[in-house]
Amino acid sequence: DSCLLNKTKPLMTEFSVKSTIISRYAFTTVSCRMLNRASEDQDIEFQMQIPAAAFITNFTMLIGDKVYQGEITEREKKSGDRVKEKRNKTTEENGEKGTEIFRASAVIPSKDKAAFFLSYEELLQRRLGKYEHSISVRPQQLSGRLSVDVNILESAGIASLEVLPLHNSRQRGSGRGEDDSGPPPSTVINQNETFANIIFKPTVVQQARIAQNGILGDFIIRYDVNREQSIGDIQVLNGYFVHYFAPKDLPPLPKNVVFVLDSSASMVGTKLRQTKDALFTILHDLRPQDRFSIIGFSNRIKVWKDHLISVTPDSIRDGKVYIHHMSPTGGTDINGALQRAIRLLNKYVAHSGIGDRSVSLIVFLTDGKPTVGETHTLKILNNTREAARGQVCIFTIGIGNDVDFRLLEKLSLENCGLTRRVHEEEDAGSQLIGFYDEIRTPLLSDIRIDYPPSSVVQATKTLFPNYFNGSEIIIAGKLVDRKLDHLHVEVTASNSKKFIILKTDVPVGPQKAGKDVTGSPRPGGDGEGDPNHIERLWSYLTTKELLSSWLQSDDEPEKERLRQRAQALAVSYRFLTPFTSMKLRGPVPRMDGLEEAHGMSAAMGPEPVVQSVRGAGTQPGPLLKKPYQPRIKISKTSVDGDPHFVVDFPLSRLTVCFNIDGQPGDILRLVSDHSDSGVTVNGELIGAPAPPNGHKKQRTYFRTITILINKPERSYLEITPSRVILDGGDRLVLPCNQSVVVGSRGLEVSVSANANVTVTIEGSIAFVILIHLYKKPAPFQRHHLGFYIANSEGLSSNCHGLLGQFLNQDARLTEDPAGPRQNLTHPLLLQAGEGPEAVLTVKGHQVPVVWKQRKIYNGEEQIDCWFARNNAAKLIDGEYRDYLASHPFDTGMTLGRGMSREL
């Protein structure tokens, strides 16, 4: 939305935005291309306003011929080389109403080009009967190629669609178009029943007429969809569903509403006048069955009437007179005002008997922070929650820059309301009327939506205190059975006349992915084919709900659990949230001629300078992690490569190694301790042709490692070089190219992007799986895994398997070769590849072994070991076929003391 510059501005050659909205879920990608015409390098900043409700999913920067890819990772406590999302809404650099600013900066070499690509996603909310998709078009200079291209696909049918005039609440543009009604010049709309394409492509002349400075404003599309009445619209795709529920044509519920207005000294002037005018309008809109009262508060609480008044021409007139005479003085007693309002409502509901057939609301408006009475925010929240008991919904409006918006947000979140922010220079009156319009017509209360637990899992929120006309209830979840052809849905709720129940079997359409009409870039769901927009919608909604539960929770352990769940989901689906951050991964720096490369500082790669929120200096960190970090302490007991097994006997300081030549498709038991610690590890082999001139016919590698944990609860892990599937009640798919940590019920899985996966069980067992990826694999190479046992304390003495049988055991050399031990590493002995021979005693077996060197840890380290030949025939219990599992999660064990055949 802008590339802002200082000296001779680099030229913006292109600014284009492409959006695809499928079933109200919007995927948006912004592309901005720049050219540095100057003879020196130039700093450049890319910034884009995005809707506050959206999640950024991707950011890529091209500087010259180098690519920097953003990667969503867990947010660490310290600040490193990363792109900051602007979450600070109070600074002047803040976006228009309801937006946040994303920024990234870099240096463009002289006469070179740069490009920025930013993607974000959001679920459009229905307000006042319309969905609104807003795109910020503020390139900050006129651009030769400027375009906005939006595709909308709604299978229910598009009912109404309009493009609004460009909106710039801050009037920073240097002028406005001559015609302020209707779509902006050059807009073309093509639509049929279920599809619409909107293109806005102004020429440089048309741009200049709107705003010489390139700040055109928000391009806004509003639309609604057709609705079959009753139980709503259910859409299904590849095992995920979304349910849209927006009934209409119901009689409105009576409202009991208390207007609570800040009349402290700071409201003096325009703010209070606009607020009063708006309330006059709102009072006239109240219906005869509604009840109302008015409270003004500063350091004193001024109640108009100490009970709720019915709506009559006289009571409305008296209310207006009372409001008219309010004068601004004193401080701000937020707690006291809310307590009085809730008492008024509770008293009326208790005595009228209308409770469950009416809706109790507080409309609360302030421009400040609590300064009088109870000023501690946690206490205010607790007091309010305890008094309201879920029976009173609090709708808050914060005006200006000094307001405690976090407090208002939490007050509304915890008390079934909504919150809005009005900027200092905006018209508070029209904002207040618009906000009231959203809640003026309650149609249902206490809504509960039920699906059979045998059919649906991991549904988002299904209980809703109120449904207001013009809004929409959205629930998403997973289907247990993908072949399901009908889904049973029950809706229970109260309306003005009675308690209502709707029950129906909704036909579930063919669950196949719809074609992406646009071919626009959209991030994948699990990396296979087109993304599942309903799965993305489900993950978006679930992440939003976890964030708001986290915001509401005061219990630290629960807060931490919610944070971890939200973080794991956000990393898995690539959402930039308060718990995740974006790091820039740069190109691997060329080691030759490092210094000539533009913008090189040490060996960090060209420096994409990333600014902190305050615009302070930059803190560059290395752009690239080494793929393997030796700081992870790994024992030598492992199997890696073309299965090369290494067993460490720490007591006798001996290391033994052996090879197992299996067949592709074989599943080998590596650790079998099912009946004691409850842990089983199996590895599945894949084949590859042997390298030329070798003695082998073929190579085999581990492509899949499966871990089954039976205690404290049953969990399954399946690890491949590209992804980890964790199934412990909730199925999580974690891509291996992104760092993430997830944990639950004694199990922690940590993925270090493209390097390793660490699995820790009950803190006493730890396995590290190294990921081996080849950029350009030779015919005999395959992406594969190495398995290392980092901690075996928690495994029992009955543990078996190709590696497990040697844990907690000891070995000794019985025929030590001639000469002192240190000679064993003498280079002369090792030149032929093998050194002296000896006999090793392990578990009563006498095993001839030969001295050898072997590379482990992805070839990073060389170890000396005693090698047991012939597929370790004399070293291992039984024979090869005793270690074959029948399927990846087979926990049976044919050998060992604690034999079991269970599954």
Side-chain angles (χ1 to χ4, degrees):
D1 170 333
S2 67
C3 304
L4 279 180
L5 316 132
N6 316 334
K7 307 157 239 172
T8 1
K9 275 190 177 182
L11 184 69
M12 183 170 308
T13 53
E14 180 188 342
F15 176 84
S16 67
V17 183
K18 197 164 175 58
S19 263
T20 302
I21 304 169
I22 313 180
S23 305
R24 312 39 157 186
Y25 192 72
F27 299 86
T28 304
T29 298
V30 183
S31 313
C32 170
R33 294 178 190 277
M34 309 290 305
L35 172 65
N36 176 10
R37 295 166 294 175
S39 47
E40 69 276 357
D41 296 356
Q42 291 213 319
D43 290 329
I44 178 175
E45 184 183 54
F46 166 78
Q47 65 173 44
M48 176 75 191
Q49 288 187 17
I50 67 162
F55 285 141
I56 287 171
T57 54
N58 204 349
F59 176 64
T60 305
M61 213 162 54
L62 273 61
I63 308 291
D65 58 354
K66 298 191 170 56
V67 181
Y68 299 86
Q69 179 64 54
E71 182 184 313
I72 306 271
T73 59
E74 297 185 356
R75 182 174 289 275
E76 298 149 18
K77 301 295 177 265
K78 61 183 197 314
S79 112
D81 179 12
R82 71 181 46 152
V83 178
K84 287 283 184 353
E85 184 181 11
K86 197 82 169 170
R87 285 266 171 204
N88 172 358
K89 301 186 190 174
T90 55
T91 61
E92 245 323 285
E93 300 173 8
N94 178 40
E96 305 287 305
K97 178 171 71 69
T99 69
E100 287 167 355
I101 298 183
F102 172 90
R103 309 173 175 278
S105 46
V107 176
I108 313 193
S110 160
K111 311 291 185 202
D112 217 334
K113 296 196 289 279
F116 302 92
F117 303 95
L118 176 72
S119 299
Y120 58 88
E121 295 175 20
E122 72 172 317
L123 177 60
L124 304 183
Q125 293 295 320
R126 189 168 183 250
R127 289 203 181 129
L128 301 174
K130 294 276 193 288
Y131 302 101
E132 191 169 285
H133 183 51
S134 176
I135 293 168
S136 173
V137 186
R138 294 178 173 79
Q140 318 248 347
Q141 55 168 289
L142 302 176
S143 172
R145 283 184 302 175
L146 186 150
S147 69
V148 175
D149 183 345
V150 180
N151 287 305
I152 303 174
L153 288 89
E154 292 290 352
S155 56
I158 298 170
S160 63
L161 183 138
E162 56 175 334
V163 178
L164 277 57
L166 288 166
H167 175 77
N168 228 340
S169 60
R170 302 205 168 175
Q171 294 303 323
R172 283 183 306 199
S174 50
R176 291 300 290 236
E178 308 86 84
D179 177 17
D180 255 357
S181 64
S186 85
T187 305
V188 177
I189 304 172
N190 283 304
Q191 71 181 105
N192 59 26
E193 271 172 49
T194 57
F195 173 73
N197 170 246
I198 298 106
I199 291 180
F200 170 55
K201 217 172 171 176
T203 62
V204 174
V205 173
Q206 286 169 321
Q207 292 169 48
R209 280 189 189 144
I210 299 165
Q212 288 283 349
N213 59 7
I215 300 176
L216 277 63
D218 295 316
F219 183 81
I220 301 172
I221 297 166
R222 267 193 202 147
Y223 74 97
D224 198 16
V225 300
N226 296 318
R227 287 188 168 72
E228 296 294 325
Q229 275 328 290
S230 84
I231 209 139
D233 174 22
I234 293 185
Q235 299 182 16
V236 174
L237 181 59
N238 296 344
Y240 288 82
F241 78 91
V242 59
H243 181 185
Y244 299 102
F245 181 58
K248 54 176 200 241
D249 304 329
L250 292 167
L253 280 161
K255 303 192 282 294
N256 317 313
V257 55
V258 179
F259 297 98
V260 183
L261 306 180
D262 185 339
S263 59
S264 60
S266 56
M267 285 288 287
V268 69
T270 319
K271 280 192 278 196
L272 193 60
R273 194 186 69 248
Q274 288 179 345
T275 302
K276 288 178 175 183
D277 289 346
L279 273 168
F280 295 161
T281 308
I282 288 168
L283 289 182
H284 278 294
D285 183 73
L286 292 171
R287 298 187 180 88
Q289 76 258 37
D290 295 341
R291 296 279 187 284
F292 77 109
S293 188
I294 300 158
I295 293 178
F297 72 97
S298 51
N299 40 353
R300 292 184 24 246
I301 312 293
K302 301 177 275 284
V303 182
W304 170 46
K305 299 271 197 284
D306 65 349
H307 55 281
L308 291 186
I309 306 293
S310 54
V311 173
T312 64
D314 287 355
S315 64
I316 296 296
R317 189 190 64 236
D318 295 350
K320 285 170 73 174
V321 169
Y322 179 76
I323 290 168
H324 178 73
H325 286 302
M326 270 185 190
S327 60
T329 54
T332 313
D333 183 0
I334 288 178
N335 184 66
L338 285 168
Q339 290 296 311
R340 273 310 275 282
I342 295 167
R343 269 209 303 281
L344 279 180
L345 288 163
N346 285 344
K347 191 168 95 181
Y348 170 71
V349 169
H351 291 99
S352 68
I354 191 177
D356 52 355
R357 292 190 311 287
S358 69
V359 171
S360 296
L361 314 172
I362 291 173
V363 175
F364 180 88
L365 184 141
T366 181
D367 72 338
K369 301 176 175 65
T371 59
V372 177
E374 179 56 72
T375 56
H376 193 261
T377 42
L378 269 182
K379 292 232 176 76
I380 296 175
L381 290 164
N382 288 336
N383 295 344
T384 307
R385 199 169 50 233
E386 281 164 22
R389 299 191 318 278
Q391 304 304 303
V392 176
C393 295
I394 302 176
F395 294 82
T396 55
I397 296 156
I399 301 183
N401 297 335
D402 301 324
V403 73
D404 184 348
F405 194 66
R406 288 299 291 270
L407 171 62
L408 298 188
E409 194 172 35
K410 285 188 84 163
L411 277 169
S412 291
L413 260 178
E414 293 182 1
N415 299 284
C416 58
L418 299 165
T419 184
R420 289 286 181 275
R421 180 170 210 149
V422 179
H423 284 302
E424 200 78 63
E425 65 277 25
E426 289 178 319
D427 176 1
S430 63
Q431 295 285 326
L432 178 55
I433 291 171
F435 190 34
Y436 169 79
D437 281 345
E438 289 186 43
I439 58 175
R440 65 188 283 262
T441 313
L443 298 182
L444 295 172
S445 66
D446 301 321
I447 303 117
R448 192 176 117 184
I449 301 185
D450 288 305
Y451 312 96
S454 59
S455 305
V456 165
V457 288
Q458 287 181 277
T460 55
K461 191 172 68 174
T462 56
L463 296 171
F464 302 87
N466 298 305
Y467 167 72
F468 296 99
N469 191 36
S471 68
E472 182 168 57
I473 284 172
I474 302 179
I475 300 160
K478 299 184 185 182
L479 293 176
V480 174
D481 176 10
R482 290 190 173 207
K483 298 186 181 64
L484 199 71
D485 53 1
H486 277 82
L487 180 59
H488 182 73
V489 184
E490 289 188 18
V491 178
T492 51
S494 303
N495 76 355
S496 58
K497 300 283 187 287
K498 59 185 184 308
F499 185 66
I500 58 169
I501 300 186
L502 301 167
K503 291 187 186 187
T504 184
D505 282 340
V506 181
V508 166
Q511 300 191 31
K512 270 291 140 266
K515 272 283 156 281
D516 179 5
V517 181
T518 64
S520 75
R522 306 201 318 252
D526 51 8
E528 292 163 24
D530 278 344
N532 177 342
H533 64 275
I534 297 182
E535 179 181 355
R536 306 273 322 159
L537 186 158
W538 166 82
S539 59
Y540 171 95
L541 214 46
T542 306
T543 305
K544 285 277 181 204
E545 286 180 7
L546 287 167
L547 285 170
S548 91
S549 303
W550 174 83
L551 202 60
Q552 287 175 54
S553 171
D554 296 326
D555 172 44
E556 277 311 315
E558 186 204 18
K559 235 179 149 60
E560 182 55 20
R561 273 197 305 279
L562 289 163
R563 189 192 69 78
Q564 286 182 0
R565 283 183 61 198
Q567 187 177 59
L569 198 64
V571 169
S572 175
Y573 284 92
R574 299 191 289 286
F575 291 143
L576 187 53
T577 67
F579 303 143
T580 47
S581 60
M582 183 173 279
K583 295 185 176 176
L584 280 181
R585 296 263 170 257
V588 183
R590 285 205 319 280
M591 296 324 281
D592 51 321
L594 256 185
E595 298 315 314
E596 297 90 86
H598 285 290
M600 273 293 178
S601 61
M604 290 187 186
E607 200 41 73
V609 180
V610 177
Q611 300 204 309
S612 74
V613 174
R614 269 172 245 89
T618 61
Q619 284 185 306
L623 287 176
L624 277 169
K625 290 217 293 258
K626 268 182 75 181
Y628 168 67
Q629 307 118 330
R631 70 164 181 275
I632 294 181
K633 185 180 166 296
I634 302 184
S635 85
K636 295 176 195 163
T637 300
S638 63
V639 53
D640 206 340
D642 176 0
H644 291 174
F645 289 77
V646 177
V647 178
D648 202 30
F649 295 103
L651 291 175
S652 46
R653 297 215 289 271
L654 284 173
T655 306
V656 175
C657 49
F658 58 94
N659 295 352
I660 295 277
D661 289 329
Q663 291 302 312
D666 283 357
I667 298 167
L668 305 186
R669 304 180 197 282
L670 302 177
V671 177
S672 302
D673 199 23
H674 181 70
S675 41
D676 290 279
S677 66
V679 173
T680 302
V681 182
N682 295 327
E684 183 177 349
L685 295 172
I686 49 163
N693 319 326
H695 57 285
K696 289 191 174 182
K697 293 191 181 60
Q698 64 171 1
R699 283 188 157 195
T700 47
Y701 301 98
F702 283 116
R703 182 192 55 184
T704 309
I705 300 282
T706 48
I707 303 175
L708 182 111
I709 298 123
N710 221 30
K711 297 171 185 176
E713 295 185 46
R714 202 171 174 96
S715 300
Y716 301 88
L717 265 168
E718 183 178 297
I719 300 160
T720 69
S722 60
R723 53 132 181 80
V724 178
I725 296 178
L726 167 58
D727 204 333
D730 302 349
R731 183 179 155 95
L732 264 183
V733 180
L734 311 170
C736 287
N737 60 2
Q738 293 166 22
S739 298
V740 58
V741 179
V742 296
S744 71
R745 308 184 299 192
L747 170 67
E748 185 185 90
V749 179
S750 163
V751 181
S752 174
N754 292 337
N756 56 58
V757 178
T758 306
V759 178
T760 311
I761 303 157
E762 295 285 347
S764 63
I765 301 171
F767 303 131
V768 178
I769 293 92
L770 293 191
I771 301 168
H772 301 309
L773 301 170
Y774 297 95
K775 278 223 171 77
K776 292 183 176 154
F780 52 86
Q781 292 173 325
R782 295 284 182 272
H783 296 323
H784 65 279
L785 302 172
F787 174 74
Y788 292 75
I789 298 176
N791 182 358
S792 59
E793 274 171 42
L795 294 169
S796 77
S797 55
N798 292 328
C799 181
H800 213 273
L802 282 167
L803 285 172
Q805 63 188 298
F806 301 110
L807 301 170
N808 311 317
Q809 298 286 344
D810 207 3
R812 65 181 196 279
L813 276 183
T814 50
E815 285 180 32
D816 207 27
R821 280 297 289 278
Q822 18 319 4
N823 268 359
L824 294 180
T825 51
H826 194 277
L828 292 175
L829 291 173
L830 299 171
Q831 280 174 356
E834 288 191 353
E837 300 194 4
V839 173
L840 189 79
T841 306
V842 181
K843 301 196 303 177
H845 304 213
Q846 303 285 310
V847 189
V849 288
V850 59
W851 186 248
K852 201 171 187 179
Q853 281 198 321
R854 167 157 282 183
K855 286 192 162 95
I856 61 168
Y857 305 159
N858 204 8
E860 300 257 333
E861 201 168 308
Q862 192 143 304
I863 56 158
D864 302 325
C865 64
W866 290 101
F867 180 67
R869 297 195 180 101
N870 303 335
N871 273 346
K874 301 219 169 134
L875 176 67
I876 58 175
D877 292 338
E879 53 189 63
Y880 176 73
R881 62 193 173 97
D882 295 323
Y883 295 91
L884 292 181
S886 56
H887 58 83
F889 293 108
D890 179 359
T891 58
M893 196 158 69
T894 49
L895 298 160
R897 284 163 287 183
M899 286 189 214
S900 74
R901 274 293 187 184
E902 65 208 82
L903 275 180

